[in-house]
Amino acid sequence: MSDRRAWVAQVMGLPVSVHLRGPRVRTGTVEERVARLFAELRAVDAVFSTYRPDSVLGRLRGAPPGPAATADPLVREVAGLCETARVRTGGWFDARRLPLPGGGTGYDPSGLVKGWAVERAARHLTDLTDHDLCLNAGGDVLLRAGPGRPAWRIGIEDPDRPDLVLDVVERAAGAVATSGTARRGAHITDPRAGRPAEAVRSVTVVGPDLLWADVYATAAVARGADALDWLATLDGYAALLVDAAGRVRATPGWPGSRAVSSPLTDGCRGG
Amino acid sequence: MRRITIWLLSTVAAVVLLFSYRTSTMGAGETGSVAAGTDPGGGSWSGTDGGTGADPSAGGATTDGGTGSGGDSGSGGDSGSGGDSGSGGDSGSGGDDSGTATGSVAQTRWGPVQVKITVSGGKITDVTAVQVPDGNRRDQEINDYAVPILRQEALAAQSARIDSVSGATVTSDGYRESLQSAIDAAHLG
């Protein structure tokens, strides 16, 4: 017997929804695990939110974390991951020169913290092995389904029509992350030009890790014109891209119906 | 291609019937049936031609696989039930299950109604009214009300099988109107 239940909370300024399928979703044990998951996300936000003047990052006000800040092992881990992300994306994901909430530019790891935090928080449910998890944090999704159980079906939002889906992918594990300009305007900065990136409207990346799927999607939007070629080089990850003209393209490994060999990738956007 | 076209056009017919139902509901108090889609040559289908092997990065239109006329004949009574039979006389070959289909013009009491659906990978991705009655204030109310419902219902029918939605960062404000919030709501508690 498998039941399904959802929990939703606003954390880190985002709607976070946890869906679980399994026999004990209505028990106190599972309730308590989900509560721990949300508590972890809140704790991370208390450290990393650039909107909170009292957080570690808020106190830095855009300065790169020095020895005092990296004394906190979480800050040290995130700072290290941001540097790895900068290298892996050829500099297109760069936490060091981003627009800050209070104006100006400076250090802001928020683009990486969300995926990192969600992966950390999901560990509270790891030992519920007979339960399947679908965790959606503001449009970035982490998935887990046991062997022999149905995969989760994830709709990819149409950036021009957020009430519609462009495609559907089935995943039993891993992540689906989307970055783009649809919801918050051009908020992704091209770190080289120092201005908002606008050539790509939306990039969805699927792959094993939410942190990296999210970082790659963000870097691809910043990158613009040659983003799809770059995405195709990422081992273990596949992507769907909508450019500023509304053209939809996918990398060869894309698991949805908009396969790269199909003329579908250009069609069907009338109406 | 043929199978999917038939399905598409019957879907269009059903959608037109739905529209007729909505409008007839709103016109409660009046009697008479609303006919939907009795124009045998009014429907058209434009789908992808799977045989072209077009380079997806080349741009341009690749959706001109074949056009056909579909004669969906249906009659919708005030109850909203009707015998709609969609038949697609498509002449496309090697097609894929993607493209757009335009239903025939349905003459309703308030004027002509025509609906276009967009399909991708066998799924309806959009429903738009290409022709709706407009003339007086009440018609405008009907359009404002019924057209979004049409789209919602056709899309909801297939998005029912989606577990989650990945999209550009949804803020707390945007969440209330999102597809994700509807999915969540169905499983809360």
Side-chain angles (χ1 to χ4, degrees):
Chain A
M1 230 233 20
S2 189
D3 201 355
R4 177 169 171 181
R5 188 173 173 192
W7 293 260
V8 182
Q10 302 289 331
V11 197
M12 305 187 292
L14 305 164
V16 176
S17 64
V18 173
H19 287 233
L20 281 171
R21 285 189 311 219
R24 299 194 307 280
V25 294
R26 289 173 205 288
T27 65
T29 317
V30 169
E31 285 268 2
E32 191 255 342
R33 296 310 183 87
V34 173
R36 271 196 235 169
L37 181 152
F38 283 124
E40 165 112 32
L41 291 176
R42 290 192 188 96
V44 165
D45 191 50
V47 174
F48 290 97
S49 174
T50 50
Y51 290 86
R52 295 176 172 213
D54 58 334
S55 76
V56 174
L57 268 291
R59 286 197 300 270
L60 288 171
R61 281 178 295 166
T70 54
D72 181 328
L74 294 185
V75 176
R76 189 163 63 243
E77 184 177 341
V78 164
L81 285 166
C82 283
E83 182 57 16
T84 307
R86 191 180 64 79
V87 173
R88 281 200 195 180
T89 61
W92 290 102
F93 178 96
D94 192 342
R96 301 172 306 177
R97 285 187 297 133
L98 291 172
L100 298 169
T105 60
Y107 189 86
D108 182 355
S110 303
L112 182 141
V113 165
K114 178 168 71 162
W116 173 80
V118 166
E119 285 192 349
R120 270 181 73 87
R123 288 184 208 159
H124 291 290
L125 309 179
T126 308
D127 64 345
L128 297 172
T129 51
D130 53 348
H131 288 72
D132 305 329
L133 169 67
C134 176
L135 199 174
N136 189 326
D140 294 334
V141 191
L142 180 149
L143 304 145
R144 193 186 298 150
R149 286 203 289 271
W152 295 98
R153 289 171 53 85
I154 312 303
I156 313 302
E157 181 184 279
D158 184 335
D160 299 322
R161 313 279 294 274
D163 53 334
L164 305 182
V165 297
L166 279 178
D167 205 351
V168 178
V169 294
E170 292 202 354
R171 311 298 285 170
V176 184
T178 301
S179 293
T181 55
R183 295 280 190 173
R184 295 193 292 167
H187 67 282
I188 294 173
T189 300
D190 172 347
R192 301 193 180 179
R195 59 170 181 264
E198 288 171 329
V200 171
R201 199 168 286 169
S202 168
V203 174
T204 299
V205 176
V206 301
D209 300 316
L210 182 60
L211 186 160
W212 292 109
D214 194 13
V215 163
Y216 294 149
T218 305
V221 172
R223 192 172 190 116
D226 71 340
L228 197 73
D229 292 338
W230 175 70
L231 287 162
T233 67
L234 299 172
D235 203 19
Y237 291 80
L240 184 76
L241 180 148
V242 184
D243 68 18
R247 196 158 52 135
V248 184
R249 289 174 292 163
T251 64
W254 177 252
S257 61
R258 288 176 178 263
V260 72
S261 59
S262 160
L264 264 182
T265 45
D266 266 346
C268 320
R269 291 186 58 77
Chain B
M1 175 89 179
R2 181 173 176 80
R3 184 184 58 79
I4 196 76
T5 305
I6 290 168
W7 174 77
L8 285 175
L9 288 171
S10 53
T11 304
V12 173
V15 165
V16 170
L17 283 167
L18 176 62
F19 189 94
S20 304
Y21 174 60
R22 294 288 171 192
T23 52
S24 63
T25 302
M26 298 196 63
E30 299 179 48
T31 57
S33 66
V34 178
T38 51
D39 175 2
S44 69
W45 159 254
S46 168
T48 55
D49 182 352
T52 61
D55 176 5
S57 64
T62 59
T63 58
D64 192 21
T67 58
S69 62
D72 53 331
S73 62
S75 64
D78 277 342
S79 66
S81 69
D84 63 309
S85 63
S87 67
D90 65 281
S91 57
S93 61
D96 205 331
D97 51 354
S98 297
T100 59
T102 305
S104 50
V105 177
Q107 294 299 333
T108 72
R109 158 186 10 223
W110 296 281
V113 175
Q114 190 175 23
V115 180
K116 182 169 85 173
I117 65 174
T118 303
V119 172
S120 171
K123 298 185 176 65
I124 301 172
T125 55
D126 198 7
V127 179
T128 51
V130 290
Q131 194 178 346
V132 290
D134 61 354
N136 58 45
R137 198 177 57 80
R138 196 182 66 159
D139 287 344
Q140 197 53 52
E141 284 172 15
I142 291 168
N143 295 342
D144 291 346
Y145 174 74
V147 173
I149 286 177
L150 268 182
R151 287 193 43 215
Q152 278 311 114
E153 298 205 356
L155 296 166
Q158 61 174 15
S159 53
R161 286 212 58 230
I162 294 173
D163 294 307
S164 202
V165 179
S166 180
T169 305
V170 178
T171 59
S172 301
D173 286 344
Y175 174 73
R176 261 171 287 138
E177 293 156 15
S178 70
L179 209 47
Q180 183 64 41
S181 71
I183 295 169
D184 290 340
H187 297 279
L188 289 172

